[in-house]
């Protein structure tokens, strides 16, 4: 999923989605993949698919919230973190 995350941060969402879907098929319980995939789908315009991925994430991590996640997620560039948070919120994940 490193490739998917790299492509996500490069704002190449369609390519990121392909890698993240592949990673998801390899390990359906990998929460980091679900988070980045949900944001990628939202930011690429596929909000409905992002909501499905978000629901899958909540099944794996029922207490997930965007604010808690962003409080510890180690991104150096604040705009990258805000874009990720925005994508997650738009996927209907709890704030």
């Amino acid at each position: 999923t490193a490739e998917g995350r790299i492509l996500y941060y490069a704002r190449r969402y369609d390519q990121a989605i392909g890698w993240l879907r592949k990673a998801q098929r390899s390990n359906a319980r990998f929460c980091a993949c679900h988070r980045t995939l949900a944001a990628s789908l939202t930011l690429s315009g596929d909000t409905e698919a992002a909501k499905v991925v978000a629901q899958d994430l909540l099944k794996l991590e029922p207490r997930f919230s965007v604010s808690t996640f962003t409080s510890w997620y180690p991104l150096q560039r604040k705009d990258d973190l805000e874009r990720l948070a925005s994508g997650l919120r738009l996927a209907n994940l709890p704030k």
Side-chain angles (χ1 to χ4, degrees):
T1 191
E3 294 89 349
R5 289 196 320 242
I6 290 166
L7 289 163
Y8 168 82
Y9 292 113
R11 298 177 189 229
R12 295 166 58 187
Y13 305 120
D14 290 336
Q15 291 175 321
I17 291 165
W19 281 100
L20 293 163
R21 289 272 190 214
K22 182 178 179 180
Q24 189 181 42
R25 286 189 300 273
S26 295
N27 184 355
R29 299 191 53 79
F30 188 41
C31 292
C33 178
H34 285 76
R35 292 188 300 256
T36 310
L37 180 57
S40 295
L41 287 162
T42 298
L43 296 170
S44 74
D46 194 350
T47 306
E48 292 308 312
K51 290 177 182 178
V52 171
V53 172
Q55 290 305 306
D56 291 341
L57 172 61
L58 290 174
K59 289 175 188 170
L60 297 172
E61 196 175 339
R63 294 184 174 181
F64 179 87
S65 75
V66 176
S67 61
T68 300
F69 169 67
T70 58
S71 73
W72 62 264
Y73 196 67
L75 285 177
Q76 292 183 346
R77 294 188 336 200
K78 185 174 172 111
D79 61 321
D80 283 341
L81 187 59
E82 182 49 43
R83 186 166 38 97
L84 181 58
S86 176
L88 294 171
R89 284 190 301 268
L90 290 169
N92 277 354
L93 284 161
K95 295 177 183 184

